[in-house]
Amino acid sequence: MEHVPPPAEELARLDRELAELDARRAQLLTRRAWLLAALRPPAPTAAPGWNPSAWGAPAAGRPGAPAQPWGYVPPKQPSAPRSAQNVLLTLGGLLLTVAAIAFTLVSWGSMGIGGRSAVLALVTVGALAAPAVLLRRGLTATAEALAALALVLTLLDAYAVHAVAAPDTDGLGFTAVAAAVLAALWTAYGLTLGKLHLPLPAAVVLAQWPLLFGAWAAGAPALVVGWALLATAVLDGAIALWGKGTGTRVTACVGGSVMAFSALLVGLTLSVTASGPLGALAPGALLLTAAAAALAGAWRAPKGFARASGVVAGLAVVAAVGGVPAAAVPEDWGVLAYLSAGLALTAVVRTGLPRNAVLGVLVASAAVVAGALAGALPGLAAVLLGPVALLSDVWAGSPEGSRAALGSTLPWTGLAATPVVLAVSAGLLGSAYRWWPSLARIAAPLIAREEPGPAGAAAYGAGPAGSAGAPGTGTPEAGGAAVPGTGGAPGAGTAGTGGTPAPGASGAGAPGAPGAAAPGASGAPWYAGGAPAARRRPSAAALRGAAGAGAAVLGWGALLLAGAVLDVPYAVAVAGETLLVAGLLALAVRGAGSGRDASAAVPVTALVVALAGAVSAGLLSLASEGASYAVFGALTALFAGASVRAGAGVERAVFAVAAAVGGTVLTGFAGRSLELAPHEAAPLVLLVPALTVLFGARLRRNPVALPVELTGALGALVAVGLAVPDAPFLALVLALCGVLAAGAAVRPERRPVAGYLAAALFVLATWVRLAASEVSFPEAYTLPVTVPALVVGFLRRRKDPEASSWTAYGPGLAATLLPSLAVAWTDPDWQRPLLLGVAALVVTLLGARHRLQALLLLGGAVLALDGLHELAPYVVQVAGALPRWLPPALAGLLLLVVGATYEQRLRDARRLKDALGRMR
């Protein structure tokens, strides 16, 4: 019986529900507003003193408009009423500029010295004074055009002074002085007429040349030229930080970048080509000064420029500090000096430099280390891939040294320092892996999040229930931070606490307080990008695992390369590579069983490197018969032992597969040692596949069983390939493979595949044997097999009507029909094709009558192929008698018919498929 509440109670309930709906709607609208704001590209922030976003800030009359980033092009405004006049005046200014140039270069000689000076002075003064008048009248474009004319005129004045008043003065020296004077003139002019955009950038361009041309004119050495370039770059940096106007700062940035790069290039070239340590000191001082200037600018530069400054400073310090010892050691060992300097840069985390500058310096350190490691790649590639050449001459004899077995023409003496570089890098990564907690504490100030601002800032997914949630997820009933820009609703801290934040819920809004800031808002650090960004950042465990994996790889490479550089005896090289594989397998097994997340990458890397090392050691051992047996035997034993010791998983399967591959190679070696032909050694190769079948029967449903059995199947395929040249041996190998497949089919989980495979292999072995014996009447051999097989199949179907016809009748029918079809295609008589066609027709009709799929398909296929063989000569004759255009026309007509009735044909095909599927 349904309870109907009183009207007053029902009305109160409806009011509560409506209030909840209104609150939920308000929350969703607020969340929508925040999402729309988050989708807009935020304006980049900058350090005090250099704020590129402010360069495109709105005018004072638009206080609500957002600041635009550096390089922002504002939309076109409607043309002013006098725009046509401005265009005409601008064109006039350009024509005047052209006329002034023509006058100076062409008509100069027709006037005296007084006239020349008066004309140029008058025109220049007029061009400089006119923009001030035009600016007061609002003709900005014309003023800019005349300012450009004045700039050209001042340049022509300088040219005229040099041509008339000082013709014997050195051109470079005069250019340096003129550039300095003009830069000062245009700086003062630009500061006086602040509304013009051209003078100050032009002054910056002119300021690039005085020091460079002055040093060049004085015949100064390259080092002095480098100092001149560096001083100019420092001046550009100061203008970029404190200059007036966007154009001025951009021009200074471009000029400073070019000059700084040129100065660093000069210093690096002089440092690298120095004849000794003393000769490298002066270029090093230049590079260190450049590094100090870059770091000084990083204090006030925005994030991107600060990081770039850190990278430049780090590379400059490495070149300066490493260049001195590098000049004192042989050329091949200089890389160690630069590597040591690069590694020393990591101490920057202990300094008080800005965060972004420190990151840039660390990037420079990583680049130096990566460059040093890249130099080891050619040597490692030669050690790993060089033994491939031994495949063409197996067991030719043991060479004297390991280099002879590699067959490489690399200058090994020039790689003497490479193993040391790899060893040092491996040692440092291993130390980082071993003492990771201490390293994390040192780097904590660099990667720690900034404290939230007074308004509170909660990261996405911050902590357990009750902590500050994602922006916009707070509700009056549940905890979580409110949406940015909205006041915290009552209860926005935690559920039922009236807005009091839960312990540890940093940034949860109190009642009436502003909500948590969105990612990317004020107070959020550069790496705070919400939940997706947090998922993209690697965890501490992943970083530690990467360090351990890198240590394993580099240590292995160092030992491999050391043997080639030292040219150790061949036996020592082979034994050393085998021992390295053993050590890596031990590391992989130990790490796989430890279950520590921090070392998850180490065992996987050790496993991959062990496999690569096993391949390299195996190839290297092919030079000697004894070494081949020893190495592959040891590798097989090592991988087999590792598969026993490893826990259940992918590692264990990989170990077992590698052991099976090694065993297969050993059986091939045995056949070669017995001087067997390849086809004679094929049955011997089947020994390992037989063992894998027994191993799979022992493991049964263990995950390792399937990979091992598939490896054995590949070994059997290799045996078949070896036996192909000899048909009798091929039949034997196929029969043996059928026995192995039948043995695997005893297990229920392998029966669906292995059973059919065994039957196919037995039938194929029979055909090959008959073909090898040149039997012209195969039915005498196949019918005695077919009749009992069909009887057995009939009894099986009688006992189990659900049994498949392919299992019951397929092998028996195929044993006779297919060999007979193969012989019929080469039989010139008509009796065999006729009898085969009749038999196939009978089988097809029986299959259709009793709904047996195997009989219908096998009989129909044989009947169709037999009929095609008999009709082929007549079809060829008819086709030759037809016009050449008729076959394409018929084909096109057929395609049109099929296309027109495509849906019907598709339904027919589906019905045929369903009908065949319902057959047994």
Side-chain angles (χ1 to χ4, degrees):
M1 182 174 181
E2 184 179 357
H3 171 69
V4 178
E9 181 180 349
E10 185 175 0
L11 180 61
R13 181 184 301 176
L14 291 176
D15 289 338
R16 286 194 301 270
E17 292 180 358
L18 289 174
E20 291 174 1
L21 289 176
D22 291 337
R24 180 58 178 168
R25 184 176 184 276
Q27 180 199 2
L28 292 177
L29 289 175
T30 309
R31 177 65 177 176
R32 180 179 181 275
W34 182 86
L35 291 174
L36 290 175
L39 290 175
R40 299 191 188 101
T45 59
W50 188 354
N51 187 6
S53 299
W55 300 350
R62 298 172 56 205
Q68 301 298 340
W70 180 23
Y72 169 77
V73 179
K76 295 182 180 179
Q77 301 294 333
S79 300
R82 302 175 66 182
S83 59
Q85 182 182 4
N86 289 337
V87 171
L88 293 175
L89 291 175
T90 302
L91 292 176
L94 293 177
L95 292 176
L96 285 175
T97 302
V98 174
I101 296 175
F103 168 77
T104 304
L105 297 179
V106 178
S107 303
W108 184 265
S110 62
M111 300 181 63
I113 186 65
R116 301 173 189 176
S117 302
V119 169
L120 273 181
L122 181 62
V123 173
T124 303
V125 170
L128 290 174
V133 178
L134 293 173
L135 286 176
R136 284 196 297 269
R137 299 195 175 195
L139 300 175
T140 307
T142 308
E144 292 285 355
L146 289 180
L149 173 63
L151 173 63
V152 175
L153 289 174
T154 54
L155 294 176
L156 293 176
D157 287 339
Y159 169 76
V161 170
H162 179 264
V164 176
D168 299 330
T169 307
D170 179 64
L172 287 176
F174 184 85
T175 303
V177 175
V181 172
L182 290 177
L185 172 65
W186 280 96
T187 300
Y189 187 74
L191 293 176
T192 303
L193 301 179
K195 293 183 179 180
L196 292 179
H197 296 86
L198 180 63
L200 290 180
V204 173
V205 174
L206 292 169
Q208 307 303 308
W209 312 113
L211 294 179
L212 176 60
F213 285 167
W216 197 354
L223 183 62
V224 177
V225 174
W227 281 105
L229 291 170
L230 180 59
T232 306
V234 171
L235 176 62
D236 289 332
I239 296 174
L241 289 173
W242 293 288
K244 177 183 178 182
T246 304
T248 305
R249 295 189 178 190
V250 172
T251 306
C253 284
V254 175
S257 301
V258 174
M259 292 297 174
F261 176 77
S262 303
L264 291 174
L265 187 61
V266 171
L268 178 62
T269 303
L270 294 176
S271 177
V272 172
T273 58
S275 58
L278 295 179
L281 288 177
L286 174 63
L287 293 171
L288 288 177
T289 305
L295 291 178
W299 285 93
R300 300 182 62 86
K303 179 178 68 174
F305 286 91
R307 291 189 184 181
S309 300
V311 173
V312 172
L315 294 177
V317 169
V318 170
V321 176
V324 176
V329 299
E331 182 180 358
D332 302 334
W333 292 87
V335 64
L336 287 177
Y338 293 107
L339 177 63
S340 302
L343 293 174
L345 288 180
T346 55
V348 74
V349 297
R350 289 289 195 177
T351 64
L353 290 175
R355 181 192 310 270
N356 292 308
V358 171
L359 290 175
V361 174
L362 293 179
V363 169
S365 175
V368 171
V369 176
L373 295 178
L377 292 179
L380 280 178
V383 173
L384 293 175
L385 302 179
V388 175
L390 297 175
L391 290 173
S392 60
D393 195 10
V394 178
W395 295 356
S398 301
E400 294 182 359
S402 59
R403 294 183 192 171
L406 299 179
S408 176
T409 58
L410 282 178
W412 292 105
T413 55
L415 299 175
T418 305
V420 182
V421 171
L422 294 176
V424 170
S425 303
L428 291 175
L429 288 177
S431 301
Y433 177 78
R434 173 65 179 82
W435 291 287
W436 183 262
S438 302
L439 183 64
R441 285 194 297 271
I442 294 174
L446 183 64
I447 61 177
R449 292 178 179 269
E450 298 178 5
E451 292 297 329
Y460 276 102
S467 61
T473 58
T475 64
E477 292 82 10
V483 180
T486 63
T494 56
T497 61
T500 303
S506 176
S522 177
W526 62 270
Y527 47 78
R535 287 194 295 268
R536 288 193 300 266
R537 292 194 300 270
S539 62
L543 293 176
R544 182 181 184 184
V553 174
L554 295 179
W556 170 70
L559 294 175
L560 279 184
L561 204 52
V565 170
L566 299 176
D567 196 17
V568 298
Y570 173 75
V572 175
V574 172
E577 290 200 22
T578 307
L579 290 177
L580 283 177
V581 174
L584 290 169
L585 287 177
L587 180 61
V589 172
R590 181 181 178 185
S594 63
R596 295 180 301 170
D597 293 338
S599 59
V602 177
V604 175
T605 305
L607 173 59
V608 174
V609 176
L611 293 174
V615 173
S616 177
L619 292 174
L620 188 63
S621 68
L622 294 179
S624 170
E625 181 178 1
S628 299
Y629 278 107
V631 170
F632 278 94
L635 292 176
T636 302
L638 287 172
F639 279 106
S643 66
V644 174
R645 295 294 303 274
V650 178
E651 296 87 356
R652 187 176 186 183
V654 173
F655 293 144
V657 167
V661 172
T664 304
V665 175
L666 284 175
T667 57
F669 288 161
R672 184 179 178 88
S673 298
L674 295 174
E675 298 182 355
L676 299 176
H679 63 273
E680 294 175 339
L684 189 61
V685 176
L686 291 175
L687 179 61
V688 173
L691 293 177
T692 58
V693 171
L694 297 176
F695 186 72
R698 175 70 175 84
L699 293 178
R700 300 191 70 80
R701 296 188 181 274
N702 192 295
V704 181
L706 181 59
V708 172
E709 291 181 89
L710 291 177
T711 307
L714 290 177
L717 189 60
V718 172
V720 172
L722 293 174
V724 165
D726 189 271
F729 268 93
L730 178 59
L732 174 61
V733 172
L734 289 173
L736 292 176
C737 292
V739 172
L740 295 179
V746 174
R747 297 157 51 197
E749 66 274 12
R750 299 286 184 263
R751 189 171 299 154
V753 176
Y756 291 111
L757 181 61
L761 288 172
F762 282 131
V763 172
L764 186 59
T766 303
W767 296 345
V768 172
R769 180 68 259 184
L770 293 176
S773 301
E774 298 181 355
V775 175
S776 60
F777 190 69
E779 291 81 6
Y781 298 91
T782 59
L783 284 176
V785 177
T786 297
V787 173
L790 294 178
V791 171
V792 172
F794 176 75
L795 296 176
R796 168 71 186 280
R797 286 271 304 167
R798 190 174 176 182
K799 181 180 179 181
D800 182 13
E802 297 299 324
S804 173
S805 61
W806 289 100
T807 305
Y809 303 118
L813 291 173
T816 294
L817 291 178
L818 298 182
S820 299
L821 178 63
V823 176
W825 270 61
T826 59
D827 192 348
D829 297 329
W830 58 272
Q831 293 89 351
R832 184 189 300 276
L834 177 60
L835 295 175
L836 179 61
V838 172
L841 178 60
V842 172
V843 171
T844 304
L845 294 176
L846 289 175
R849 171 67 178 81
H850 297 285
R851 305 182 63 80
L852 297 176
Q853 191 180 95
L855 276 67
L856 180 63
L857 294 182
L858 274 176
V862 172
L863 181 61
L865 291 175
D866 186 63
L868 177 63
H869 173 264
E870 294 302 311
L871 293 176
Y874 305 103
V875 173
V876 172
Q877 293 178 4
V878 172
L882 293 175
R884 292 183 179 273
W885 56 266
L886 187 58
L890 293 176
L893 182 61
L894 177 62
L895 291 177
L896 288 176
V897 172
V898 172
T901 60
Y902 176 75
E903 296 294 336
Q904 181 62 35
R905 301 287 79 79
L906 192 60
R907 287 192 294 269
D908 294 343
R910 288 171 179 168
R911 282 198 296 269
L912 178 60
K913 178 183 176 182
D914 294 339
L916 290 175
R918 288 192 295 269
M919 293 183 179
R920 301 303 302 171

